[in-house]
Amino acid sequence: SYVLTQPPSVSLAPGQTARITCEGYNIGSKSVHWYQRKPGQAPVLVVYNDGDRPSGIPERFSGSNSGNTATLTISRVEAGDEADYYCQMWDSSSDHRVFGGGTILTVL
Amino acid sequence: EVQLVESGGGLVQPGRSLRLSCAASGFTFDDYAMHWVRQTPGKGLEWVSGISWNSGHIAYADSVRGRFTIYRDDAKNSLFLQMNSLRAEDTALYYCAKSLGSMVDGLDYWGLGTLVTVSS
């Protein structure tokens, strides 16, 4: 089955740019979605179809996807961005929705 | 305002059954695919099952196929997950989620979840 690999954690200071990667075979040919999950809260869709933003999501959140890597970029990171971030795609060969293992973003 | 409210979770013994419900409001329910996603304690998100707008396309994770059944009642704006032969590894917080459109699209609204604990 298709596997999406994310780094377990990313740490950086406020104001820096966070780049969270999601690796999968030829993922650039698929649509990738990104979710933010904070403790005790429902997950929130922050980027869909590689780089589109739902209404209400700040422009600081952006996405890209090419080759074997999709990337969620969060510019000018704030303390409120601390959360777990998950990439996700649909694997048509198995007819499964696949999530990455998640990345814990820590703002120092 | 879109709202998804899950119910039906609880403590259940291994091998028993449970039915989860998700009450939807604030959107045209029968226009969208719906999914169940679970979060196991201390771990990440795991997709469980999805159903298209007209129930013509249904899919399951390998870990639950043959034990779980997803279905929807559009007249009641409700999504369901019938869980049979429950195992300890099914213990999780179960979320109901709305798709942006089709089965493959991103999930733009989620409920707060209902907790299922499988233990003797």
Side-chain angles (χ1 to χ4, degrees), chain A residues 35 37 42 86 95-97, chain B residues 35 39 57 62 103 105 107:
Chain A
Y35 304 88
R37 187 177 64 84
Y86 295 87
D95 209 24
H96 283 25
R97 185 176 292 267
Chain B
H35 292 263
Q39 177 196 336
H57 181 186
D62 293 346
M103 283 280 276
D105 291 327
L107 303 176

Side-chain angles (χ1 to χ4, degrees), chain A residues 20 22 27 32 34 47 50-51 62-66 69-73:
Chain A
I20 299 173
C22 175
I27 195 174
V32 175
W34 290 89
V47 166
D50 298 338
S62 62
S64 62
N65 186 14
S66 177
T69 304
T71 303
L72 173 68
T73 300

